[in-house]
Amino acid sequence: MFTLRRYQVPVLGPGDEPLSVLHLSDLHLTPVQRDKVAWVRDLARLEPDLVVTTGDNLAHDDALGPLLEAYAPLMDRPGVFVLGSNDYVAPRPKNPARYLLPDARTAHEDPEPLPWREMTGAFRSAGWRDLTNARETLEIGGRTVSFVGVDDPHLDRDAFPPPGPRADLHLGLTHAPYTRVLDDMAGDGCDLVLAGHTHGGQLRVPFYGALVTNSDLDRGRASGLHGWPGPRPDAPGGAGSTWLHVSAGLGTSPYAPFRFACRPEASLLTLVPRR
C-alpha cells in the first residue's frame, strides 16, 4: 500500500520558480521486495528537481543490487543523502516492546556489516552529494542550494559541521530527528529539515497517533510536515520556527514486517514562494 504524499512548503523568495523535492527514507530493502523496487523506480515519472534520501536503505547484505535498480531512474537527477544505522549494519531480532522504552537502542554485538561503502560509492558516482557530517552546495534549476547534514544521531555518529557558506535556500538532512540535531539545524538557518527513522510510529492508534518515535522527538511530529521548535512557520506562533518534514518511510525491519494505520510512503515536496 505504498503512498505518495504531496506537500507545498513556502520557503522561496518572491517570484522564485517552484522546486520539487522527492524525499525517500527507510526502504529497509531485502532482495525479495520486487514490488517496492518497481514502485520506487516509477517515481522517476515525477521528474523531481532534487532527490533526497535520509537513510536506512538496506536490510540485507544482498540488497545492494536491488536498491541500485530501484534508484537507477532517479540517479540522473541532482541528489543528496545521509545514512542510517541500517545502512551500516543489518537489523537483528529483538523484542518489539523495547520501542516503548524511553531509549530503545541496543548495543550491536558482532553486527553484520552491510555494503554501505559500495552503496555510497554508487551514489557519489551518480553525482549525489554525501552529507555525512558535511556541507555541500548544488546548482538546481538555475539557483544555488546549500545543504548541511549529519551522520546517524541514533548511533551517536552525528558531528555538526563547522559554519560554512549558505545560499538563499538552505536545507538540512538527518536520518534520525533527535532534538539536538534539529536545534542545530534551526540555529544554522535551515529553511527546511528532512528526516526519517520514525516509520511514522509504524503502529498508529486511530485518534491517538503514533505510540513512539524511536527518538526524543515528540509523537505529534512522528511524520508529516511540521515546524521546529515551535508551530509551523505559517501558523500562529510559528515565526521563529523552521520547516520540518519527517518521512514515515517505505519499509520496516524484516523482523517486524507490519504497520498499522501507517502506510509506507514517499513524499513530493513542492517548494514555493513564502506568502
Side-chain angles (χ1 to χ4, degrees):
M1 299 180 71
F2 303 119
T3 301
L4 179 67
R5 311 286 185 193
R6 295 177 183 263
Y7 301 94
Q8 280 199 350
V9 191
V11 293
L12 303 181
D16 284 353
E17 289 295 317
L19 186 147
S20 60
V21 178
L22 178 63
H23 183 190
L24 297 159
S25 197
D26 296 87
L27 273 68
H28 291 280
L29 193 65
T30 65
V32 300
Q33 293 174 330
R34 301 304 307 173
D35 55 341
K36 189 185 298 183
V37 170
W39 193 84
V40 172
R41 285 181 62 86
D42 187 59
L43 294 173
R45 63 182 167 77
L46 301 171
E47 299 185 343
D49 297 309
L50 173 69
V51 179
V52 170
T53 172
T54 48
D56 274 10
N57 293 282
L58 304 170
H60 192 282
D61 59 359
D62 290 330
L64 179 60
L67 178 77
L68 297 181
E69 179 186 351
Y71 281 160
L74 293 165
M75 292 177 76
D76 62 350
R77 320 294 299 186
V80 290
F81 66 92
V82 292
L83 301 185
S85 60
N86 289 144
D87 292 307
Y88 292 113
V89 294
R92 303 180 67 180
K94 61 182 176 181
N95 185 344
R98 285 194 60 86
Y99 288 105
L100 300 176
L101 297 174
D103 189 341
R105 290 175 289 183
T106 56
H108 287 285
E109 298 177 2
D110 299 322
E112 178 186 354
L114 292 173
W116 64 272
R117 290 183 178 86
E118 295 86 345
M119 180 185 73
T120 57
F123 289 171
R124 288 193 294 268
S125 294
W128 286 9
R129 302 298 177 90
D130 185 349
L131 295 176
T132 304
N133 296 331
R135 296 178 183 272
E136 289 281 359
T137 59
L138 279 173
E139 295 296 321
I140 304 173
R143 80 193 80 192
T144 301
V145 182
S146 56
F147 301 88
V148 62
V150 294
D151 205 350
D152 188 11
H154 195 61
L155 295 179
D156 295 321
R157 296 177 67 120
D158 55 301
F160 203 79
R166 50 158 296 177
D168 290 338
L169 179 60
H170 186 45
L171 306 183
L173 269 68
T174 177
H175 173 64
Y178 279 81
T179 58
R180 65 179 184 271
V181 175
L182 301 182
D183 286 343
D184 283 342
M185 290 187 169
D188 199 58
C190 289
D191 298 294
L192 170 65
V193 179
L194 301 110
H197 177 71
T198 65
H199 297 188
Q202 193 163 323
L203 303 177
R204 298 180 66 92
V205 176
F207 308 109
Y208 182 79
L211 298 178
V212 295
T213 65
N214 197 19
S215 69
D216 62 355
L217 185 69
D218 59 281
R219 294 184 303 101
R221 293 181 173 95
S223 64
L225 187 62
H226 305 279
W228 184 266
R232 291 167 45 131
D234 60 354
S241 294
T242 191
W243 288 97
L244 168 66
H245 179 258
V246 181
S247 172
L250 281 163
T252 66
S253 166
Y255 300 107
F258 46 82
R259 289 177 177 246
F260 184 76
C262 185
R263 292 174 66 166
E265 67 179 42
S267 297
L268 186 69
L269 297 96
T270 302
L271 311 189
V272 297
R274 297 178 182 89
R275 298 179 181 88

